[in-house]
Amino acid sequence: MLYRLGADAVLLLHLAFIIFVLLGGLLVAWKRGFLLLHLPAIAWGLFVELSGRPCPLTHWENLLRRLAGTAGYEAGFIEHYLLPLIYPAWLSVPVQYLLAAIVVVLNALIYGGLVWRRRHRSAAR
């Protein structure tokens, strides 16, 4: 039971990290200190997507699931709704490249908006 809870916790952390990589620029807009966390997260996310290497979180989750006996995958909310989001069956190398491009474009738009807003705010003074 403890291993399964640990695996579920790692899965939730994984999902939170993916969301942070995609939308962390919005946190930077709120508090500039998040920049020091977000830029390395983007770099890591791009590295994992473009290199084809598995994320260590995936390894840790799989290890915990094996230690738990891999039982219970079909019963829980997390397994039913979140696993297909993070590990879709259609995920391939070209799709990973597309996902990496989405990360770059989305964050470029967010950070570009922040820079634009800051320039226009300082010009108005």
Side-chain angles (χ1 to χ4, degrees):
M1 177 75 170
L2 191 58
Y3 290 125
R4 181 170 180 238
L5 289 174
D8 289 348
V10 171
L11 178 66
L12 288 174
L13 176 66
H14 203 168
L15 181 62
F17 182 79
I18 291 167
I19 292 169
F20 181 66
V21 167
L22 283 171
L23 302 174
L26 298 174
L27 287 173
V28 173
W30 177 58
K31 295 280 186 193
R32 232 184 275 178
F34 281 107
L35 181 68
L36 297 175
L37 295 173
H38 190 234
L39 291 180
I42 291 172
W44 178 256
L46 290 174
F47 170 75
V48 168
E49 286 299 324
L50 296 176
S51 71
R53 291 183 167 189
C55 179
L57 293 173
T58 303
H59 170 73
W60 295 333
E61 180 197 346
N62 288 333
L63 175 64
L64 289 168
R65 294 219 184 274
R66 279 194 302 275
L67 291 171
T70 64
Y73 250 81
E74 59 275 353
F77 171 85
I78 289 174
E79 291 87 357
H80 184 72
Y81 293 104
L82 296 183
L83 278 176
L85 270 174
I86 295 175
Y87 310 115
W90 47 263
L91 191 62
S92 64
V93 172
V95 172
Q96 287 180 284
Y97 289 151
L98 176 63
L99 292 173
I102 290 170
V103 166
V104 170
V105 168
L106 185 60
N107 280 288
L109 289 172
I110 291 170
Y111 281 102
L114 290 174
V115 168
W116 182 85
R117 188 176 79 182
R118 188 171 186 198
R119 284 186 182 168
H120 281 79
R121 199 182 288 167
S122 63
R125 293 180 190 173

